[in-house]
């Protein structure tokens, strides 16, 4: 229509941070792989309308939890999906203490240039206790400082409380208050399908959508959300 401009809905803009949460083994790492690949490729990748705007900037991917073998699988998945590796830096930090991980990231971001997106999987490994208020606020303040100081976007990951849709502890509550976008995942029982919800956004929230893990082991966005989840009718919220 003349006089009306259509703009894509934002998920992650420079100078902000967002986070993903769900129950354990619900597809968080697969979804971060998809977002990382979309950004790295600077185009849609197995993702329907998901689009990156990289413009040659670097993607740094920190994994704090997995062993070397599993971390390598995740990093390689991103490269295979994007069909490129230039500008993609990966670091497995499992062996270090929470403080050592935090200090390394703080130093590393200070010496790198032309960084655009940082994947931090997961933020709970930067604290000793997710329910300790001072630690939670300190780490979230680091995210706010890094994203502003280096004009980057940070996507991080945290678990949800058991049997709840709330992110874990005081750390999760602090993330909710300060993030640009809060994304919740819901994996269907005994299924490869994962529902993606925008729980909170500073902009217009995106509609729910669903991705699956295809036969090649890659996340792939489905054209439509299945009619049922866990045997119950699914209604968009």
């Amino acid at each position: 229509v003349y006089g009306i401009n259509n703009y894509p809905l934002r998920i992650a803009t420079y100078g902000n941070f967002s986070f993903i949460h769900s129950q354990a083994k619900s597809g968080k790492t697969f979804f971060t792989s998809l977002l990382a690949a979309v950004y790295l490729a600077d185009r849609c990748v197995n993702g329907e309308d998901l689009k990156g705007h990289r413009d040659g900037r670097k993607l740094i991917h920190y994994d704090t939890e997995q062993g070397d073998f599993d971390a390598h699988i995740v990093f390689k998945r991103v490269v295979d999906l994007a069909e490129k590796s230039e500008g993609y830096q990966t670091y497995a930090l499992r062996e270090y203490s929470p403080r050592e991980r935090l200090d390394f990231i703080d130093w590393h971001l200070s010496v790198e240039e032309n960084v655009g997106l940082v994947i931090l999987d997961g933020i709970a490994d930067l604290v000793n206790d997710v329910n300790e208020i001072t630690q939670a606020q300190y780490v979230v303040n680091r995210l706010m400082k890094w994203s502003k100081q280096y004009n980057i976007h940070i996507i991080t990951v945290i678990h949800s409380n058991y049997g709840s849709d709330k992110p874990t502890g005081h750390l999760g509550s602090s993330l909710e208050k300060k993030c640009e976008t809060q994304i919740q995942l819901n994996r269907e029982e005994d299924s490869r399908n994962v529902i993606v919800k925008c729980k909170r956004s500073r902009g217009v929230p995106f509609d729910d959508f669903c991705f699956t893990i295809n036969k090649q082991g890659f996340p792939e966005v489905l054209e439509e959300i299945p009619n049922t989840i866990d045997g119950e009718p699914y209604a968009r919220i």
Side-chain angles (χ1 to χ4, degrees), residues 116-166:
L117 178 64
V118 171
I119 303 288
L120 175 53
D121 187 0
I123 194 170
D125 294 314
L126 302 188
V127 298
N128 292 306
D129 182 355
V130 295
N131 282 309
E132 210 287 310
I133 296 177
T134 302
Q135 289 187 47
Q137 291 177 340
Y138 181 79
V139 169
V140 172
N141 283 334
R142 290 287 95 184
L143 298 184
M144 296 169 65
K145 178 182 178 181
W146 294 334
S147 57
K148 171 65 175 180
Q149 183 173 353
Y150 305 118
N151 191 33
I152 60 178
H153 192 88
I154 302 170
I155 298 176
T156 193
V157 178
I158 192 171
H159 286 114
S160 298
N161 289 321
Y162 181 76
S164 169
D165 63 356
K166 293 282 293 180

Side-chain angles (χ1 to χ4, degrees), residues 32 69 114 142 202 219:
T32 55
F69 179 78
N114 199 32
R142 290 287 95 184
R202 295 194 184 277

Side-chain angles (χ1 to χ4, degrees), residues 19 21 158-161 165-169 172-173 176 182 199:
F19 76 101
H21 68 102
I158 192 171
H159 286 114
S160 298
N161 289 321
D165 63 356
K166 293 282 293 180
T168 303
S173 297
E176 285 186 315
Q182 177 183 351
K199 286 202 68 179

Side-chain angles (χ1 to χ4, degrees), residues 207-218:
D207 291 335
D208 299 353
F209 63 94
C210 181
F211 73 90
T212 192
I213 311 303
N214 64 25
K215 293 180 180 180
Q216 290 73 43
F218 295 148

Side-chain angles (χ1 to χ4, degrees), residues 1-7:
V1 179
Y2 179 77
I4 297 178
N5 294 323
N6 292 320
Y7 298 97

